[in-house]
Amino acid sequence: MTALSRDIHSHPELSFNEHRSSAALQQPLRDAGFILTQPLAELETAFIARYDSGKPGPRIALLAEYDALPELGHACGHNLIGTASVTAALALVQSGALNSGCLEVIGTPAEEEGGGKIIMAEQGIFTDVDAVMMFHPREKNMVTRGALACVDAVFKFYGKAAHAASAPHLGISALDAVIQTFVGINGLRQFFTDDVRVHGIITHGGDATNIVPAYAEAKFLMRAATVTGLQTVRHKVFAAVEAAAAMSGARVEIEEGLTYAERNNNLALADLFQHNLLQLGLTTEAPPERGGVGSSDIGNVSQLTAAIHPYLRIGDVVPHTPEFAIAAASDAGIDAMLNAAKALAMTAFDLQNPEHFQSVRQEFCAWQAAHSVGDSK
């Protein structure tokens, strides 16, 4: 498993193109007698590896991620995430500890860019799953931690080319529209609530300095504590974009991505995982009360079934940096991965206990009922 994790780390693949990584994670499961389904949900690199005990019991899924970041490689440690879930599944089955129910490893591509779990959720992959678990590397051990709802959007501006020196008055600058978009969004910031984050880049700004840019493009991520709050942010940002286009004389097209939902941590399941970490000699810290969170498509899954997404320390490093990518292949990274695999396996074993299983499911059903009531109002 150490060799597998480092091999995936050495061959980073971007979202929806993780063919080598997906195949590498599937192979040891196939060898252990898991039944593989791949591709899945019309995604070539998604898969389910299922092992049925043959006895009634819970359906538990361990989620695997394996996509990398552009330029940075595995700077979010998905090589550790995917391998930890596979390792936990192998431990349960090969030890004979899976006494009831069904265990699955679900390979979920494109967490970084594309929302693979969202696509899979919309196609019913998680509908009958009783609980899902995975771990994420971080700079400290945390059993629960929030995540913001988010959505990305590409703003494509179309102007009119002209010679920038001899006839600028004949042109319409698409780049000016992009710049005014940034200005307009920055003007909104004082009116956003504290949970909101909006950040973007210019992905195309023109082709030559002496040509009025006929095309320019920017990409933004918008985040908020909840999907409901995110819609307010989205409307304000889109209005600023439309205004920037109008004042520049350009035309704009908006391409919106999938919406990542906020995370619903199942506390009963998290307590089981934390107890197992303590059994392994690991202590945990409380998550930050404010800030310090990103987004993940497991939030959408957590709206459908009981879910946890705990964190284990791999060093004093921040995700999405070159330093984190190095740590994801380090001895400390491997230690965290193996400890996570042990805790995941132990927690899945705990769920075979009807008392533990009922507490997890009752909490989720209560949350679901409360949110259904809120939606109906």
Side-chain angles (χ1 to χ4, degrees), residues 7 29 44 47-48 59 67 70 73 78 96 135 183 215 229 242 273 290 343 345:
D7 179 69
L29 295 166
E44 291 185 5
F47 67 88
I48 285 183
R59 180 180 172 188
D67 59 322
H78 291 192
F135 109 100
V183 173
Y215 177 76
E242 297 282 0
F273 188 89
R290 297 178 62 186

CSV table of all heavy atoms in Angstrom, one decimal, residues 7 29 44 47-48 59 67 70 73 78 96 135 183 215 229 242 273 290 343 345:
chain,number,residue,atom,x,y,z
A,7,ASP,N,3.4,5.4,-5.9
A,7,ASP,CA,3.3,5.3,-7.3
A,7,ASP,C,2.3,6.2,-7.9
A,7,ASP,O,2.5,6.9,-8.9
A,7,ASP,CB,3.0,3.8,-7.7
A,7,ASP,CG,2.8,3.6,-9.2
A,7,ASP,OD1,3.9,3.7,-9.9
A,7,ASP,OD2,1.7,3.5,-9.7
A,29,LEU,N,-8.1,-4.7,-5.0
A,29,LEU,CA,-9.4,-5.1,-4.6
A,29,LEU,C,-9.9,-6.2,-5.5
A,29,LEU,O,-10.5,-7.2,-4.9
A,29,LEU,CB,-10.3,-3.9,-4.8
A,29,LEU,CG,-10.0,-2.7,-3.9
A,29,LEU,CD1,-10.8,-1.4,-4.4
A,29,LEU,CD2,-10.4,-3.0,-2.4
A,44,GLU,N,-15.6,7.5,-16.9
A,44,GLU,CA,-14.6,6.4,-17.2
A,44,GLU,C,-13.7,6.0,-16.1
A,44,GLU,O,-13.3,4.8,-16.0
A,44,GLU,CB,-13.8,6.8,-18.4
A,44,GLU,CG,-14.6,6.9,-19.7
A,44,GLU,CD,-13.6,7.2,-20.9
A,44,GLU,OE1,-12.4,7.3,-20.7
A,44,GLU,OE2,-14.2,7.4,-22.0
A,47,PHE,N,-15.5,4.0,-10.2
A,47,PHE,CA,-15.7,2.6,-10.0
A,47,PHE,C,-16.3,2.3,-8.7
A,47,PHE,O,-16.3,3.1,-7.7
A,47,PHE,CB,-14.4,1.8,-10.2
A,47,PHE,CG,-13.4,2.0,-9.0
A,47,PHE,CD1,-13.4,1.3,-7.9
A,47,PHE,CD2,-12.4,3.0,-9.2
A,47,PHE,CE1,-12.5,1.5,-6.9
A,47,PHE,CE2,-11.5,3.2,-8.2
A,47,PHE,CZ,-11.5,2.5,-7.0
A,48,ILE,N,-16.9,1.1,-8.6
A,48,ILE,CA,-17.3,0.5,-7.3
A,48,ILE,C,-16.7,-0.9,-7.2
A,48,ILE,O,-16.8,-1.7,-8.1
A,48,ILE,CB,-18.9,0.4,-7.2
A,48,ILE,CG1,-19.5,1.7,-6.9
A,48,ILE,CG2,-19.2,-0.6,-6.0
A,48,ILE,CD1,-21.0,1.6,-6.7
A,59,ARG,N,-24.8,-1.3,4.6
A,59,ARG,CA,-24.0,-1.1,3.4
A,59,ARG,C,-23.1,0.1,3.6
A,59,ARG,O,-23.5,1.2,3.7
A,59,ARG,CB,-24.9,-0.9,2.2
A,59,ARG,CG,-24.2,-0.6,0.9
A,59,ARG,CD,-25.2,-0.4,-0.3
A,59,ARG,NE,-24.5,0.0,-1.5
A,59,ARG,CZ,-25.1,0.4,-2.6
A,59,ARG,NH1,-26.5,0.5,-2.6
A,59,ARG,NH2,-24.5,0.8,-3.7
A,67,ASP,N,-7.5,12.2,-8.0
A,67,ASP,CA,-7.1,13.3,-9.0
A,67,ASP,C,-6.1,14.2,-8.4
A,67,ASP,O,-6.0,14.4,-7.2
A,67,ASP,CB,-8.3,14.0,-9.5
A,67,ASP,CG,-9.1,14.7,-8.5
A,67,ASP,OD1,-9.3,14.2,-7.4
A,67,ASP,OD2,-9.6,15.9,-8.7
A,70,PRO,N,-3.4,20.8,-11.2
A,70,PRO,CA,-2.5,21.3,-12.3
A,70,PRO,C,-1.2,21.9,-11.7
A,70,PRO,O,-1.2,22.6,-10.7
A,70,PRO,CB,-3.3,22.4,-13.0
A,70,PRO,CG,-4.8,22.0,-12.7
A,70,PRO,CD,-4.7,21.4,-11.3
A,73,GLY,N,0.6,18.7,-8.9
A,73,GLY,CA,0.5,17.3,-8.6
A,73,GLY,C,-0.4,17.0,-7.4
A,73,GLY,O,-1.4,17.6,-7.3
A,78,HIS,N,-4.4,13.3,-2.5
A,78,HIS,CA,-5.4,12.3,-2.9
A,78,HIS,C,-4.8,10.9,-3.1
A,78,HIS,O,-5.5,9.9,-3.1
A,78,HIS,CB,-6.1,12.8,-4.2
A,78,HIS,CG,-7.0,13.9,-4.0
A,78,HIS,ND1,-7.9,14.3,-4.9
A,78,HIS,CD2,-7.1,14.8,-2.9
A,78,HIS,CE1,-8.6,15.4,-4.4
A,78,HIS,NE2,-8.1,15.7,-3.2
A,96,GLY,N,-11.2,-11.3,7.8
A,96,GLY,CA,-12.4,-12.0,8.2
A,96,GLY,C,-13.3,-11.2,9.1
A,96,GLY,O,-14.2,-11.8,9.7
A,135,PHE,N,-10.8,9.8,4.6
A,135,PHE,CA,-10.0,10.7,5.4
A,135,PHE,C,-9.3,11.7,4.4
A,135,PHE,O,-9.2,11.5,3.2
A,135,PHE,CB,-9.0,9.9,6.2
A,135,PHE,CG,-7.5,10.0,5.7
A,135,PHE,CD1,-6.7,10.9,6.4
A,135,PHE,CD2,-7.1,9.3,4.6
A,135,PHE,CE1,-5.3,11.0,5.9
A,135,PHE,CE2,-5.8,9.4,4.2
A,135,PHE,CZ,-4.9,10.3,4.8
A,183,VAL,N,-13.1,44.7,-10.4
A,183,VAL,CA,-13.4,45.9,-9.7
A,183,VAL,C,-14.8,45.8,-9.0
A,183,VAL,O,-15.0,46.1,-7.9
A,183,VAL,CB,-13.3,47.1,-10.6
A,183,VAL,CG1,-13.8,48.4,-9.8
A,183,VAL,CG2,-11.8,47.3,-11.0
A,215,TYR,N,-11.4,39.1,-27.2
A,215,TYR,CA,-11.8,38.0,-26.4
A,215,TYR,C,-11.0,38.0,-25.1
A,215,TYR,O,-9.8,38.2,-25.1
A,215,TYR,CB,-11.7,36.7,-27.0
A,215,TYR,CG,-12.2,35.5,-26.1
A,215,TYR,CD1,-13.5,35.3,-25.9
A,215,TYR,CD2,-11.2,34.7,-25.5
A,215,TYR,CE1,-13.9,34.3,-25.1
A,215,TYR,CE2,-11.6,33.7,-24.7
A,215,TYR,CZ,-13.0,33.5,-24.4
A,215,TYR,OH,-13.4,32.5,-23.6
A,229,GLY,N,-27.1,30.5,1.0
A,229,GLY,CA,-26.4,31.7,1.1
A,229,GLY,C,-25.6,31.9,-0.2
A,229,GLY,O,-25.3,33.0,-0.7
A,242,GLU,N,-22.4,41.2,-15.5
A,242,GLU,CA,-23.3,41.8,-16.5
A,242,GLU,C,-23.1,43.3,-16.6
A,242,GLU,O,-23.0,43.9,-17.7
A,242,GLU,CB,-24.7,41.5,-16.2
A,242,GLU,CG,-25.1,40.0,-16.2
A,242,GLU,CD,-25.2,39.4,-17.6
A,242,GLU,OE1,-25.1,40.2,-18.6
A,242,GLU,OE2,-25.5,38.2,-17.7
A,273,PHE,N,-15.1,7.0,15.0
A,273,PHE,CA,-13.8,7.2,14.4
A,273,PHE,C,-12.8,7.8,15.4
A,273,PHE,O,-11.7,7.3,15.5
A,273,PHE,CB,-13.9,8.1,13.2
A,273,PHE,CG,-12.7,8.2,12.4
A,273,PHE,CD1,-12.4,7.3,11.3
A,273,PHE,CD2,-11.7,9.2,12.6
A,273,PHE,CE1,-11.3,7.3,10.6
A,273,PHE,CE2,-10.6,9.2,11.8
A,273,PHE,CZ,-10.3,8.3,10.8
A,290,ARG,N,-14.1,29.6,13.3
A,290,ARG,CA,-14.4,30.4,12.1
A,290,ARG,C,-13.3,30.3,11.1
A,290,ARG,O,-12.1,30.2,11.4
A,290,ARG,CB,-14.6,31.9,12.5
A,290,ARG,CG,-15.7,32.1,13.5
A,290,ARG,CD,-15.8,33.6,13.9
A,290,ARG,NE,-16.0,34.4,12.7
A,290,ARG,CZ,-16.1,35.7,12.8
A,290,ARG,NH1,-15.8,36.4,13.9
A,290,ARG,NH2,-16.3,36.5,11.7
A,343,ALA,N,-8.2,3.2,11.3
A,343,ALA,CA,-9.3,3.8,11.9
A,343,ALA,C,-10.6,3.6,11.1
A,343,ALA,O,-11.7,3.4,11.6
A,343,ALA,CB,-9.1,5.3,12.2
A,345,ALA,N,-11.2,1.1,9.0
A,345,ALA,CA,-11.5,-0.3,9.0
A,345,ALA,C,-12.2,-0.6,10.4
A,345,ALA,O,-13.2,-1.3,10.4
A,345,ALA,CB,-10.3,-1.2,8.9
